[in-house]
Amino acid sequence: MRLSRYFLPVLKENPAEAQIVSHRYMLRAGMIKQQAAGIYSWLPLGYKVLKRIEQIVHEEQIRAGHIPLLMPTLQPADLWRESGRYDDYGQEMLRIKDRHERDMLYGPTNEEMITDIFRSHVNSYKDLPLTLYHIQWKFRDEVRPRFGVMRGREFLMKDGYNFDLTKEDALHAYNRHMVSYLRTYERMGLTAIPMRAASGPIGGDNTHEFLVLASTGESEVFYDDRVTELKLGTRDVDYDNRAEVLGICDEFTSLYARTDETHDAAVFEQVPEAHRKVGRGIEVGQIFYFGTKYSESMGATVVTADGSRVPVEMGSHGIGVSRLLGALIEANHDDKGIIWPEGVTPFHCGIVNLKQGDAATDAACEGLYKALKAQGLDPLYDDRDERAGAKFATMDLIGLPWRITVGPRGLANGVVELTSRRSGESEEMSAEAAVARIAQIYADHP
Ligand code: ATP
Ligand code: MG
């Protein structure tokens, strides 16, 4: 993309309404525009990152054997009357009447609807196990929408639902979700710690939240800091291997890590003092096992091998896709702007032309731009007629992890400059070497 033809409405001033750094940078970098409290338009740069995150979530769900579908945002109230949640949910639910005076609602989550789909089409234990998921907009009429996309009213969530014959099978589905979530966050360059949690309106007693440590997080967290060093890395997980999946879950949940709700001071005391940490965290996902809570009330049953009929075992599992943009920025920024991890960056690298209009410099930039694209990369070329300082400030603000700077002085020596946004370190090399280096970096970050 050429910046002169892109739509990147960068703000020079700090927006007064933004209290935390991610909200401030998302507005300043022209990623989002607020349309009403907690409701945002996703401008091109923000939309690009949102799509990258969505893509990683899809890939990891599919890798775990889960099946994508798409349910609507609007739901009939009658489904929620069946489970009893229409009255329980309270003011967070946006209730709507259509022209025929039928009660509708903008879905805050989809347990009822997916259970309805299941009971309409699945009848036999032979069709289990089954996990269906979608990535869809949700609406929760939060009392205090704030911190930008972090606590929106309309927000994008991945929500998945497992259907199993036995509790043992459903617990394997739960564990599979835990591992797939760990992989998902890790690919985004995030450390999200699974912490035992309380279940709230979803119900059930087995639940973990995934928290990203950040001083601006809304939850207080108590943890053994060795938990932040655990990594899945390149481990190739066989999701059908129950022992392997359980082993990973045990490894990632054996150290103390709890939110308030579930914190136990006496147990925490046993963590060696040097590792005992209290901090704050952002909830970027949660998994639940709730057994037959919905299948019983809504009549989602299957016929078993001996011909009897049993309610199906279920769980639900959510990732805050749009909240992740905020969490990623909280965890990756400096005083100049965002620093995107390679896994989610909107463009793979920036090209800064130091002397726009100079024939040789323009030609070198064009050559680089084409060579990067030929490698399947997505560069952002700052071809505006602007001062170098302004171009650097924009690149630093929008946070592309790599920048190639091209100017007449370097070109005279046959070199361009490759700069890492994270370390700030620069290296001179030929344009060909810079392209090869960037291609290699992204080959290592699929
Ligand atoms: P919270 O405690 O932050 O209100 P929740 O526990 O009610 O969230 P879940 O029902 O677990 O939310 O939804 C799954 C995920 O969706 C959460 O882990 C979070 O990342 C995201 N999410 C929930 N509410 C919002 C919101 N208002 N804005 C953005 N993302 C949200
Ligand atoms: Mg939650």
Side-chain angles (χ1 to χ4, degrees):
M1 180 55 64
R2 292 165 204 277
L3 191 45
S4 64
R5 296 193 202 155
Y6 198 46
F7 182 62
L8 187 71
V10 164
L11 306 179
K12 288 221 172 62
E13 304 297 326
N14 271 329
E17 72 268 32
Q19 299 164 29
I20 60 169
V21 69
S22 58
H23 189 195
R24 193 153 61 234
Y25 283 153
M26 286 186 79
L27 291 169
R28 281 198 47 209
M31 297 176 69
I32 50 170
K33 179 182 186 318
Q34 183 174 310
Q35 305 294 166
I39 300 178
Y40 293 88
S41 287
W42 292 81
L43 304 182
L45 192 73
Y47 184 59
K48 229 162 181 285
V49 180
L50 189 69
K51 285 285 155 190
R52 289 252 151 123
I53 291 175
E54 226 187 295
Q55 184 59 31
I56 292 176
V57 172
H58 270 303
E59 286 173 17
E60 292 306 326
Q61 286 310 298
I62 288 165
R63 193 195 303 277
H66 306 159
I67 304 169
L69 49 50
L70 186 60
M71 292 174 272
T73 53
L74 293 184
Q75 306 186 17
D78 281 345
L79 273 182
W80 288 67
R81 292 197 173 99
E82 286 188 51
S83 71
R85 283 208 297 177
Y86 190 63
D87 295 324
D88 291 352
Y89 220 91
Q91 291 198 306
E92 267 195 21
M93 181 185 276
L94 179 66
R95 295 156 207 262
I96 306 163
K97 269 193 200 303
D98 71 9
R99 66 198 296 166
H100 304 292
E101 293 290 309
R102 274 186 293 247
D103 291 326
M104 310 284 289
L105 57 100
Y106 193 129
T109 175
N110 283 61
E111 281 80 7
E112 282 78 359
M113 188 167 277
I114 200 81
T115 306
D116 179 55
I117 292 173
F118 181 89
R119 71 181 172 187
S120 307
H121 299 290
V122 181
N123 193 38
S124 162
Y125 76 100
K126 289 182 188 152
D127 296 324
L128 304 181
L130 179 65
T131 294
L132 301 168
Y133 78 93
H134 72 163
I135 297 181
Q136 177 62 292
W137 295 93
K138 304 290 184 289
F139 196 97
R140 293 183 187 174
D141 206 350
E142 303 271 356
V143 207
R144 239 175 292 117
R146 56 187 183 151
F147 302 156
V149 300
M150 207 79 100
R151 185 164 295 285
R153 290 197 294 165
E154 188 188 50
F155 60 96
L156 191 60
M157 196 207 283
K158 170 263 159 184
D159 43 321
Y161 306 86
N162 66 283
F163 300 92
D164 289 277
L165 184 59
T166 64
K167 176 169 182 181
E168 195 193 8
D169 295 349
L171 289 176
H172 173 58
Y174 182 89
N175 295 339
R176 209 173 53 225
H177 278 88
M178 183 178 291
V179 174
S180 72
Y181 280 26
L182 290 169
R183 273 192 78 111
T184 302
Y185 300 124
E186 215 172 288
R187 270 186 68 183
M188 293 175 192
L190 268 187
T191 303
I193 306 164
M195 301 197 186
R196 182 162 291 286
S199 69
I202 308 274
D205 44 29
N206 220 340
T207 174
H208 280 83
E209 288 174 348
F210 293 77
L211 286 112
V212 171
L213 296 175
S215 56
T216 48
E218 291 187 286
S219 318
E220 188 169 30
V221 294
F222 304 82
Y223 61 101
D224 180 326
D225 68 357
R226 286 170 291 186
V227 75
T228 60
E229 283 149 33
L230 298 173
K231 293 275 176 299
L232 275 172
T234 51
R235 242 184 286 180
D236 202 10
V237 183
D238 173 0
Y239 281 105
D240 291 327
N241 183 331
R242 293 188 179 201
E244 182 183 352
V245 169
L246 177 64
I248 295 172
C249 294
D250 283 345
E251 181 186 339
F252 278 78
T253 55
S254 59
L255 291 163
Y256 191 90
R258 303 267 182 100
T259 61
D260 234 12
E261 294 158 324
T262 56
H263 176 55
D264 181 336
V267 184
F268 193 42
E269 287 287 302
Q270 290 160 25
V271 175
E273 209 177 329
H275 293 293
R276 217 182 294 154
K277 293 275 166 14
V278 180
R280 304 202 69 81
I282 302 167
E283 183 195 326
V284 293
Q286 185 162 8
I287 54 177
F288 300 88
Y289 160 73
F290 47 69
T292 57
K293 177 179 154 90
Y294 297 90
S295 54
E296 266 184 59
S297 58
M298 296 184 65
T301 59
V302 287
V303 175
T304 64
D306 66 16
S308 63
R309 205 167 250 290
V310 294
V312 72
E313 287 274 336
M314 290 175 65
S316 73
H317 316 277
I319 294 182
V321 174
S322 52
R323 179 180 286 181
L324 271 167
L325 274 94
L328 278 157
I329 296 173
E330 292 296 327
N332 298 280
H333 69 269
D334 62 13
D335 56 1
K336 295 182 196 149
I338 304 164
I339 307 172
W340 292 116
E342 274 85 357
V344 295
T345 182
F347 293 98
H348 292 116
C349 68
I351 303 170
V352 167
N353 183 335
L354 289 179
K355 200 166 184 200
Q356 205 71 44
D358 172 72
T361 314
D362 289 359
C365 287
E366 288 294 331
L368 254 179
Y369 183 64
K370 293 206 175 94
L372 287 161
K373 287 178 75 115
Q375 293 284 331
L377 295 163
D378 188 10
L380 180 67
Y381 170 23
D382 191 344
D383 59 342
R384 296 172 304 164
D385 191 10
E386 280 277 359
R387 287 176 304 110
K391 291 189 176 187
F392 289 144
T394 300
M395 283 295 173
D396 284 346
L397 175 63
I398 68 173
L400 309 185
W402 299 95
R403 184 185 81 207
I404 305 175
T405 308
V406 185
R409 210 177 308 156
L411 289 177
N413 298 319
V415 293
V416 298
E417 192 183 64
L418 179 64
T419 306
S420 155
R421 174 70 181 88
R422 198 171 283 278
S423 71
E425 279 163 25
S426 295
E427 226 184 299
E428 291 191 333
M429 60 185 76
S430 69
E432 295 72 32
V435 171
R437 178 80 68 85
I438 304 249
Q440 186 54 51
I441 287 166
Y442 286 100
D444 295 339
H445 282 90

